């Protein structure tokens, strides 16, 4: 079971820690940590109000179950759970086991005048699954019991999953038959295939396997107006693609009950390699060339110099890092060095060819190849980053992220604008913020930018929330100003909805609104999110 107020499973002890080097660096960068008291689960459960729902065989009214489904993983969610000030709870949580039961729950919602929140893994970082204050009781529909591979068509390479299947079960069930989906968002351990579709997610190896939009082949969508079957025709010129209406629907139109995805045979060979470049501009040019020449890599990530230096400085194996830095400096990648991690995935021949191109293009821009050692480290820790939130919190620090995607021509100005705004967002309080960025998910026309920022909460939860609000607004305003998307992969939910009109325009918003109203004329589905 997922932990109620932190990342990870309750049955496994996380080994995530921040070592003395990291604590010393944080102190120097943003100041002495500030710890706040945590509420206990018993205290928070005691605050769960009586349910407004009648009994139903599929619905749990248990206060602890309601608490466990009340919030996602955003920073405001973290603060709400750690302080115990959760506010609104769902009135009940249903656990359907099949599409028939999903339909039964939607009928119940209509008959009892109830709002419905579809819930996948609850890993949203933008308030997607949080119930809002309102007259109607709120029913959260948790898809966790619909977690099976239902069919695998090997000829067409299409797998059908229950929408509540989380990443590890997607891959383990496919692996038994020699296949993979290859969709690895950092939240993979808990996020579900239905949640990926509903929030348009992107996995770390999107360069090879595609974003969820490319992987989503069809499935069944249960709405208050009936069932929508989405056929898996490989390509069609027959009008607008209905799949695109379900992608990113964020629970506003209905509940995806089963998902058909495009799978691949497991690749023969895979490694992750690291190259350092002497400067951001050199690294950026190399990455753009790799993307635009369509070199068959499975991922590219380029950390800017602050991110590169932060990672190197926080590592506890100081001697090895010093040797590496010396070597890089000698080879021309000095203080302004930036780190590129790239994935090589495919048959032996594809692997060899992609590696040769990657090394040749990197060398053109002064890249220093360090082989797979650091890449292995990245691969071994690729899902561990979120666990660091807990030791950072224990040390008195908060961490959050912000992401967008922009055209190649706008990458550096956007990065500078976002980092500058975030770094200065708390300067009126004399508070420092440490911010760094990487570029990932590359396309022919541009890439995503992903900034991480560390800051101190202040002396109360109210202050911590205020800090987050200022930081979020500062970064988001720059994204809008620079013409980026308000989200490349996290979705809109509650926290981004005010920025959506800038991206979609008035008519675009009206079109989305009318689609929601068509499927859900009484606005029962996840009200207050997306729009
Ligand atoms: C540590 C961390 C790292 C992350 N890294 C990434 C990343 O690398 N890439 C990325 O894309 N995202 C990432 N995310 C964001 C998040 O994991 C994604 O948005 C993910 O797709 C959400 O899936 P979920 O199953 O948890 O959905 P939930 O959070 O449960 O729900 C998200 C939205 O989808 C709707 N929904 C869920 N299931 C269904 C369904 N069956 N039918 C209809 N609507 C449904 C919900 O109503 C809600 O609006 C990260 C989040 C965290 C906490």
């Amino acid at each position: 079971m997922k932990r109620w107020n932190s990342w990870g499973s309750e049955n496994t002890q996380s080994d995530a820690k921040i070592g003395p080097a990291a604590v010393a660096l944080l102190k120097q960068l943003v100041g002495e940590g500030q710890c706040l008291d945590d509420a206990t689960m018993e205290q928070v459960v005691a605050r769960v109000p009586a349910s407004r729902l009648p009994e139903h065989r599929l619905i749990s009214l248990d206060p602890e179950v309601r608490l466990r489904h009340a919030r996602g993983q955003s920073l405001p969610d973290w603060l709400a759970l750690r302080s115990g000030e959760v506010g609104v709870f769902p009135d009940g949580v249903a656990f359907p086991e099949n599409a028939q039961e999903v339909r039964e729950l939607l009928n119940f919602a209509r008959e009892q005048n109830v709002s419905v929140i579809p819930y996948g893994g609850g890993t949203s970082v933008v308030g997607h699954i949080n119930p809002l204050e309102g007259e109607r009781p709120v029913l959260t529909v948790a898809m966790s019991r619909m977690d099976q591979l239902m069919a695998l068509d090997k000829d067409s390479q299409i797998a059908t999953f229950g929408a509540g299947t989380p990443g590890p079960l997607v891959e383990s069930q496919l692996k038994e038959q020699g296949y993979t989906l290859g969709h690895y968002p950092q939240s993979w351990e808990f996020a579900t295939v239905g949640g990926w579709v509903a929030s348009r997610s992107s996995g770390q190896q999107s360069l090879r396997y595609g974003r969820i939009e490319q992987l989503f082949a069809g499935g069944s969508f249960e709405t208050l107006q009936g069932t929508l079957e989405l056929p898996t025709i490989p390509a069609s010129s027959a009008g607008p693609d209905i799949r695109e209406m379900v992608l990113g629907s964020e629970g506003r139109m209905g509940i995806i009950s089963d998902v058909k995805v495009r799978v691949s045979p497991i690749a023969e060979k895979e490694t992750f390699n690291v190259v350092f470049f002497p400067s951001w501009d050199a690294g950026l040019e190399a990455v753009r060339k790799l993307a635009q020449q369509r070199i068959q890599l499975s991922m590219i990530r380029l950390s800017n110099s602050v991110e590169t230096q932060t990672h190197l400085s926080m590592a506890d194996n100081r001697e090895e890092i010093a040797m590496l830095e010396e070597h890089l400096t000698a080879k021309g990648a000095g203080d302004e060095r930036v780190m590129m991690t790239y994935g090589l995935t495919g048959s032996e021949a594809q692997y060899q060819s992609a590696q040769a191109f990657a090394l040749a293009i990197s060398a053109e821009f002064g890249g220093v190849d360090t082989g797979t050692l650091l890449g292995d480290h990245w691969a071994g820790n690729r899902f561990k980053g979120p666990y660091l939130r807990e030791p950072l919190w224990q040390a008195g620090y908060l961490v959050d992220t912000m992401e967008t995607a922009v055209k190649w021509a706008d990458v550096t100005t956007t990065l500078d604008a976002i980092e500058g705004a975030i770094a200065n967002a708390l300067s009126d309080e004399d508070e420092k913020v440490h911010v760094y960025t990487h570029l990932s998910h590359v396309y022919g026309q541009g890439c995503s930018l992903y900034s991480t920022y560390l800051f101190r909460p202040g002396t109360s939860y109210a202050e911590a929330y205020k800090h987050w609000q200022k930081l979020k607004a500062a970064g988001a305003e720059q994204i809008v100003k620079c013409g980026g998307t308000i989200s490349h992969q996290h979705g809109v939910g509650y926290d981004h909805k005010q920025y959506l009109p800038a991206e979609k325009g008035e008519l675009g918003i009206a079109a989305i609104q009318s689609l929601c109203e068509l499927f859900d004329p009484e606005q029962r589905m996840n009200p207050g999110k997306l729009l």
Side-chain angles (χ1 to χ4, degrees):
M1 195 190 301
K2 202 157 84 231
R3 286 165 207 244
W4 74 279
N5 67 351
S6 185
W7 189 251
S9 159
E10 288 203 330
N11 323 323
T12 49
Q13 193 65 38
S14 159
D15 57 1
K17 59 176 175 39
I18 47 167
V23 175
L25 185 70
L26 282 167
K27 200 168 152 186
Q28 181 200 326
L29 292 169
V30 299
E32 188 83 50
Q34 295 169 312
C35 296
L36 299 176
D37 289 339
D38 290 335
T40 64
M41 185 156 99
E42 291 67 34
Q43 286 168 333
V44 191
V45 165
R47 292 185 190 168
V48 179
S51 173
R52 296 169 292 175
L53 283 175
E55 299 273 347
H56 184 285
R57 70 182 179 91
L58 296 174
I59 302 175
S60 168
L61 305 181
D62 179 74
E64 184 183 321
V65 174
R66 290 166 58 200
L67 164 61
R68 286 182 179 277
H69 293 82
R71 290 286 191 148
Q73 295 286 334
S74 70
L75 198 87
D77 294 337
W78 176 278
L79 295 175
L81 292 167
R82 303 307 288 227
S83 65
E85 301 290 336
V86 176
V88 187
F89 295 84
D91 288 273
V93 184
F95 296 92
E97 293 191 1
N98 51 49
Q100 171 63 38
E101 290 186 349
V102 172
R103 286 194 286 276
E104 186 181 332
L105 289 163
L106 289 178
N107 286 334
F108 167 86
R110 190 188 295 109
E111 283 158 15
Q112 300 293 331
N113 193 21
V114 166
S115 295
V116 175
I117 302 181
Y119 184 105
T123 66
S124 162
V125 282
V126 288
H128 277 120
I129 50 87
N130 303 0
L132 302 176
E133 201 88 57
E135 293 286 302
R136 285 176 180 152
V138 178
L139 173 65
T140 290
V141 177
M143 303 299 285
S144 51
R145 292 191 186 156
M146 295 173 68
D147 64 355
Q148 291 302 304
L149 172 62
M150 295 149 74
L152 176 60
D153 171 351
K154 291 188 178 176
D155 288 337
S156 315
Q157 297 193 345
I158 292 175
T160 308
F161 282 99
T165 315
L169 275 180
V170 167
E171 288 300 335
S172 62
Q173 294 180 85
L174 285 175
K175 193 177 173 190
E176 279 173 18
Q177 310 209 39
Y179 288 82
T180 179
L181 179 62
H183 190 69
Y184 296 109
Q186 201 190 30
S187 52
W188 177 80
E189 285 175 272
F190 299 100
T192 63
V193 66
W196 296 337
V197 173
S199 63
R200 296 187 85 103
S201 76
S202 195
Q204 290 163 345
Q205 285 167 271
S206 64
L207 194 51
R208 175 178 173 88
Y209 297 104
R211 288 165 60 89
I212 200 70
E213 293 96 294
Q214 283 90 49
L215 296 170
F216 178 45
S220 305
F221 193 46
E222 301 297 340
T223 80
L224 285 153
Q225 303 292 73
T227 305
L228 193 60
E229 292 295 347
L230 304 165
T232 57
I233 298 162
S236 160
S237 71
D241 189 340
I242 309 285
R243 282 176 291 211
E244 277 292 335
M245 300 178 191
V246 175
L247 281 158
S249 54
E250 301 198 350
R252 284 298 311 257
M253 297 175 198
I255 301 183
I256 307 157
S257 58
D258 62 65
V259 183
K260 294 178 193 295
V261 280
R262 299 168 177 143
V263 297
S264 314
I266 293 172
E268 257 173 49
K269 189 163 181 185
E270 177 165 88
T271 62
F272 298 94
N273 300 35
V274 167
V275 169
F276 287 85
F277 293 93
S279 68
W280 171 254
D281 289 343
L284 182 64
E285 283 306 296
V287 168
R288 186 164 68 85
K289 189 159 180 181
L290 287 165
Q292 293 182 331
Q293 294 215 345
R294 299 174 197 262
I295 307 301
Q296 287 189 359
L297 304 177
S298 58
M299 67 159 282
I300 304 180
R301 166 177 302 202
L302 181 71
S303 299
N304 73 354
S305 62
V306 185
E307 180 166 300
T308 302
Q309 207 44 51
T310 303
H311 287 322
L312 294 178
S313 306
M314 286 197 176
D316 271 329
N317 43 344
R318 300 305 322 150
E319 266 179 37
E320 287 160 40
I321 296 292
M323 274 162 60
L324 172 70
E325 288 178 325
E326 211 174 293
H327 168 72
L328 293 173
T329 305
K331 295 273 180 189
D335 287 350
E336 292 302 308
R337 67 179 76 91
V338 298
M339 180 168 96
M340 177 179 84
T341 309
Y342 66 97
L344 292 161
T345 308
S347 66
E348 185 67 43
Q350 285 172 332
Y351 180 98
Q352 297 299 345
S353 141
Q355 184 169 39
F357 279 117
L359 289 176
I361 291 174
S362 300
E364 235 180 273
F365 296 93
V368 184
D369 174 34
T370 62
T372 56
L373 193 67
L374 291 168
D376 287 345
H377 179 77
W378 175 83
N381 290 288
R382 64 195 288 187
F383 305 121
K384 290 197 178 156
Y387 289 88
L388 288 173
R389 220 182 210 186
E390 180 71 42
L392 281 167
W393 173 252
Q394 300 297 344
Y397 301 99
L398 285 168
V399 58
D400 202 14
T401 61
M402 179 161 290
E403 40 90 46
T404 183
V406 288
K407 295 183 299 211
W408 287 114
D410 299 334
V411 168
T412 303
T413 42
T414 308
L415 186 158
D416 289 344
I418 295 170
E419 283 198 348
I422 290 176
N424 289 316
L426 306 181
S427 54
D428 58 335
E429 301 175 45
D430 272 344
E431 278 294 323
K432 289 190 275 185
V433 182
H434 184 58
V435 53
Y436 50 82
T437 303
H438 63 251
L439 158 177
S440 52
H441 302 287
V442 298
Y443 310 95
Q445 286 62 46
C447 64
S448 70
L449 285 174
Y450 190 98
S451 299
T452 301
Y453 46 100
L454 291 137
F455 58 104
R456 301 197 302 168
T459 52
S460 68
Y461 277 98
E463 209 178 319
Y465 182 67
K466 217 170 73 201
H467 284 176
W468 173 81
Q469 277 183 313
K470 284 183 180 176
L471 291 158
K472 182 80 176 176
E477 279 159 20
Q478 291 308 315
I479 287 174
V480 170
K481 226 184 239 175
C482 294
T485 171
I486 194 57
S487 178
H488 168 264
Q489 60 196 54
H490 289 163
V492 179
Y494 185 79
D495 297 343
H496 287 159
K497 67 177 183 171
Q498 62 174 303
Y499 304 103
L500 198 62
E503 187 168 329
K504 306 289 182 196
E506 214 176 296
L507 194 54
I509 292 286
I512 300 170
Q513 178 85 50
S514 67
L515 207 50
C516 293
E517 281 167 14
L518 175 84
F519 290 116
D520 175 25
E522 289 164 330
Q523 308 210 20
R524 299 191 180 287
M525 300 300 302
N526 209 3
K529 316 299 167 47
L530 183 65
L531 297 165

